[in-house]
């Protein structure tokens, strides 16, 4: 069947049955505990030090486990989470505006276009309030109102104000909190930190995850690390598109290697395109910059009513402007979810109404907000974002509207995990953006930080206990370790031996463009097929012609890149296959063949209400996890 076959459905997600609100308590109560005195005998590897990995490492070590932690940056604090701007959701209902755990759960399932697992999402909503308490106790400087209470603001797809923030630096402040907790454990000797060390493969022995093989990025030394459980908190794979809002170093190697060792990969084609990014300025560009969704609280999005209008924004009178989100979606206006806002921007630009170079932009205008609130208030809310915009574009957003355009931002897909956040390889847990767990086909703004910290501070520490308390582990056979080490070394030698003519970046750029054109904001059967033909050719060209200067036993960033691009070239094919197999539109996955008369995503709940969990193989195998909606009844999403 079209390059893949269908395997057995996933029978058990380990989510307890019974009332939704009791499931997490029941799971925790049923979980085995490890006696505190015995915990130090267990080693747990945590790969990643972003909000998910940082919080998990600190908490597991606090519990008494011996944690061995890795990141490829020079400091845990430089994990990509540091870039998160706008905020973190939590069902605290401080504003008494009708928010509740149930509403957050409901908004998230609906926002994800009914492709997420209810049990997980409900738990996320329950745990969300604890995250804020935890962060406040650590001293995270959330914005406060005049009276001293924590302030909140709105994010897309909801009608309450549940987003907590620290100006436009929420990720940075939360990460400093997690890092501080991690540092305490590093100092206590319970966390052994390996910075600038990249996991290149997973060691599986007797069917269980038992360690990793890593490369020291400074010396090139290949090292092996064994443990009783392995946690991947390695972030998203949006950089498969080359241009994205992610940090340049973010990559898919850890999860892709684990996938090749047996972990199923879920919904790889579910990628999020963020509506408010600074448009590309030219061919040379290697990175895109996000302008936080929080700006849509006060900024109004518009394009000229006349297509091809070349007048400057100031020359276009009010009645010749189309505030198209307010027109199309009056009840949510500029705060519709990201997938909807992105598609609407693409539609107006495709129809010739776009502004700026190439017509690939729409205005995000603060003139009304400045007139209503005064410049100081706008500066206090968004000052650092305005500064960033001005530095990049040389335009003053206080005086002229920002120009924005959608860009790749987040990946809802990731390694498949059960309710315990355990992958299909026993002992391998996956948290944060690296897993697929909670956001369905579209993530709501400010929910990634919530999920990463829920996973790391609260969920994983309970479920790892259960795994370690109920599993007897033997020694890892030398042969198993040697085999993985050898494969890692051989791959590096192979990359160095090609001595071709093209840089890894040039392959990455070509792959990214192909993916953007055919697996980006909208997808067609024909385009996906075309890309599916081209990716294997590009991969073969890569292995024939990539040029990696220097050697393996040294600091070699070209080698690092080539290694990661080789994985992107494989993952891309699975994304295309997944997008082709999903004959419906849902959330960020927009198949042009499946749309309503109004151009909205048209789901097919009868045939596609499942998580697509892919097993690796020459011919990938699709396992379906059928989604059951007992509480939020799937409907055509409406934000009008
Ligand atoms: C510009 C921007 C702004 C955002 N703003 C918000 C926001 O306001 N609110 C919100 O909720 N979400 C936001 N997001 C999304 C959110 O920031 C991310 O989803 C989240 O921070 C991911 O956290 P993480 O811990 O899963 O991964 P990351 O923070 O990406 O951390 C990954 C870690 O894994 C390590 N790693 C990866 N691979 C390897 C390997 N092979 N070997 C060793 N180490 C490895 C890295 O070194 C790093 O430490 C934003 C995203 C972007 C791009």
């Amino acid at each position: 069947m079209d390059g893949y076959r269908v395997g057995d459905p996933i029978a058990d997600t380990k989510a307890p049955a019974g009332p939704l609100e009791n499931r997490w308590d029941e799971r925790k109560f049923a979980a085995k505990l490890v006696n505190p005195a015995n915990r130090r005998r267990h080693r747990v590897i945590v790969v990643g030090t972003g909000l998910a990995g940082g919080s998990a490492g600190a908490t597991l070590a606090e519990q008494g486990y011996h944690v061995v932690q890795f990141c490829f940056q020079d400091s845990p604090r430089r994990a990509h989470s540091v870039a998160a701007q706008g905020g973190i959701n939590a069902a605290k209902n401080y504003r008494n505006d009708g928010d509740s755990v149930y509403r957050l759960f409901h908004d998230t399932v609906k926002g994800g276009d009914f492709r997420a697992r209810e049990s997980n999402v409900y738990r996320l909503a329950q745990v969300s309030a604890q995250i804020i308490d935890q962060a406040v106790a650590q001293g995270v400087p959330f914005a406060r109102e005049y009276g001293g209470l924590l302030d909140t603001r709105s994010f897309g797809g909801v009608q309450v104000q549940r987003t907590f923030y620290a100006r436009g630096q929420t990720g940075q402040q939360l990460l400093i909190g997690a890092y501080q907790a991690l540092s305490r454990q590093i100092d206590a000797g319970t966390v052994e930190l390996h910075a600038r060390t990249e996991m290149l493969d997973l060691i599986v022995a007797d069917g269980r995850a038992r360690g990793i093989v890593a490369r020291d990025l400074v010396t090139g030394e290949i090292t092996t690390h064994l443990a009783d459980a392995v946690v991947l908190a390695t972030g998203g794979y949006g950089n498969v598109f080359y241009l994205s809002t992610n940090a340049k170093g973010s990559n898919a190697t850890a999860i892709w290697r684990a996938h090749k060792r047996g972990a199923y990969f879920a919904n790889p084609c579910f990628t999020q395109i963020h509506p408010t990014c600074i448009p590309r300025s030219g061919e040379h560009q290697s990175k895109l910059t996000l302008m936080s969704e929080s700006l849509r609280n006060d900024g109004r999005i518009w394009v000229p009513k006349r297509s091809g209008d070349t007048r400057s924004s100031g020359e276009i009178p009010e009645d010749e402007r189309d505030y198209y989100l307010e027109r199309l979606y009056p009840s949510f206006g500029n705060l519709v979810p990201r997938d909807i806002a992105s598609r609407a921007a693409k539609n107006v630009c495709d129809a010739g109404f776009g502004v700026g170079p190439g017509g690939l932009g729409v205005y995000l205008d603060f003139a009304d907000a400045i007139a209503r609130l005064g410049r100081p208030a706008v500066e206090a809310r968004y000052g650092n974002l305005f500064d960033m915009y001005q530095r990049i574009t040389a335009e003053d957003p206080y005086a002229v509207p920002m120009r924005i355009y959608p860009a790749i931002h987040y990946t809802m897909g990731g390694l498949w995990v059960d309710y315990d956040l355990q992958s299909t390889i026993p002992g391998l847990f996956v948290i944060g953006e690296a897993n697929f767990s909670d956001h369905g086909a579209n993530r709501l703004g400010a929910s990634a930080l919530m999920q990463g910290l829920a996973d790391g501070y609260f969920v994983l520490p309970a479920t790892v206990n259960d795994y370690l308390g109920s599993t007897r582990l033997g020694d890892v056979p030398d042969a198993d370790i040697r085999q993985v080490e050898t494969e890692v070394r051989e791959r590096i030698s192979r990359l160095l031996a090609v001595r071709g003519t093209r840089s890894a970046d040039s392959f990455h750029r070509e792959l990214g463009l192909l993916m953007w054109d055919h697996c980006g904001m909208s997808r067609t059967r024909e385009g996906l097929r075309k890309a599916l033909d081209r990716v294997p050719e590009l991969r073969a060209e890569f292995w024939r012609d990539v040029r990696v200067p220097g050697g393996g036993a040294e600091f070699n960033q070209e080698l690092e890149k080539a290694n990661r691009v080789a994985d992107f070239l494989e993952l891309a094919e699975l994304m295309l296959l997944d997008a082709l197999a999903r004959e419906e539109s849902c959330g960020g996955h927009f198949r042009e063949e499946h749309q309503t008369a109004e151009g909205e995503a048209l789901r097919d709940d009868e045939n596609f209400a499942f998580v697509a969990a892919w097993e690796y193989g020459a011919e990938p195998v699709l396992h379906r996890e059928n989604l059951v909606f007992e509480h939020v009844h799937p409907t055509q999403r409406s934000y009008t």
Side-chain angles (χ1 to χ4, degrees), residues 46-55 69-89 153 155 163-165 167-171 174-175 194-201 212-215 217 232-236 244-247 249-255 257 272 274 277 287-294 338 388 408-411 431-435 439 443-453 455 564:
V46 179
V47 187
T49 58
L51 285 174
S55 56
Q69 191 134 8
F70 298 83
C71 65
F72 59 70
Q73 290 92 350
D74 58 347
S75 159
R77 267 182 315 141
R78 293 199 212 290
H80 157 70
S81 291
V82 76
Q85 300 172 350
I88 175 168
N89 290 329
R153 57 189 176 195
F155 258 58
T163 306
F164 294 78
Y165 65 99
R167 294 192 86 190
Q169 311 171 344
T170 316
L174 287 166
L175 192 59
H194 299 264
R196 309 207 74 175
T197 308
E198 183 162 26
M199 165 187 167
L200 294 183
D201 218 329
I212 65 168
V213 174
R215 179 170 178 269
L217 297 180
L232 298 186
T234 50
S244 89
T245 61
N246 289 196
S250 298
N251 69 85
T253 289
I255 55 172
R257 304 268 108 203
Q272 176 163 87
H274 198 297
C277 303
K287 171 88 183 73
L288 293 172
T289 306
L290 175 77
M291 286 287 102
S292 165
E293 179 157 312
S294 59
R338 291 175 178 176
M388 196 155 80
I408 293 288
H409 178 63
Y410 181 86
T411 45
I431 59 175
E433 193 174 338
N435 74 24
H439 309 292
R443 174 176 71 78
L444 290 181
S447 286
L449 303 187
M450 171 174 69
Q451 181 226 324
L453 290 177
D455 289 358
R564 295 169 188 170

Side-chain angles (χ1 to χ4, degrees), residues 398-412:
Y398 293 102
V400 293
M402 289 182 177
R403 279 179 300 105
I404 51 161
Y405 193 69
I408 293 288
H409 178 63
Y410 181 86
T411 45
M412 282 77 69

Side-chain angles (χ1 to χ4, degrees), residues 213-249:
V213 174
R215 179 170 178 269
D216 183 317
L217 297 180
V218 179
T219 64
E221 189 192 357
I222 304 290
T223 51
T224 296
H225 307 264
L226 299 179
D228 299 337
V230 177
V231 180
L232 298 186
T234 50
Y237 54 91
N239 277 346
V240 70
F241 291 89
Y242 187 71
L243 283 180
S244 89
T245 61
N246 289 196
K248 276 299 284 175

